[in-house]
Amino acid sequence: MFKKAFFILLRVLCYASLAVVVWAFVTVQMLLGGDCPRIDTGAVICNTPAAQETANAALGVILVTFFTGVPGLFALGGAIFLVKDLWRLVRGRRESAAVG
């Protein structure tokens, strides 16, 4: 019972971390050429206040990921869970199509 709850909680935590880390990297890449002409380590210069806040949040996630590695490890776990779940989904559809 507790083991199953632990793995469900771990899966949710890993998926959330994967989503946040991917969001941060995609956001920085999208803002780099448009609203934010300059993004350095620890400093973001943007043209609009909304882009500045978004870039600050994304850069914060990226810096925590690089310096501590904790979000990166959970994101790696999320990627592994995602591959396993997609593999089960594809395999299950293939088996049900072969039976039916």
Side-chain angles (χ1 to χ4, degrees):
M1 170 85 173
F2 290 113
K3 184 178 177 182
K4 186 175 181 179
F6 172 74
F7 280 111
I8 289 172
L9 183 63
L10 181 66
R11 183 177 297 242
V12 169
L13 181 67
C14 287
Y15 275 140
S17 181
L18 177 64
V20 169
V21 169
V22 167
W23 167 82
F25 280 99
V26 168
T27 300
V28 165
Q29 289 302 316
M30 286 176 47
L31 289 176
L32 188 57
D35 288 339
C36 302
R38 185 168 177 202
I39 296 178
D40 294 328
T41 305
V44 180
I45 299 171
C46 296
N47 299 331
T48 63
Q52 181 76 35
E53 290 299 319
T54 304
N56 283 338
L59 191 62
V61 170
I62 291 172
L63 290 175
V64 168
T65 300
F66 280 142
F67 287 129
T68 65
V70 174
L73 288 175
F74 281 122
L76 180 63
I80 291 170
F81 281 133
L82 182 64
V83 168
K84 279 179 59 176
D85 290 342
L86 288 175
W87 179 255
R88 278 190 212 149
L89 181 69
V90 169
R91 191 178 67 189
R93 284 189 179 177
R94 200 178 308 150
E95 288 175 2
S96 66
V99 171

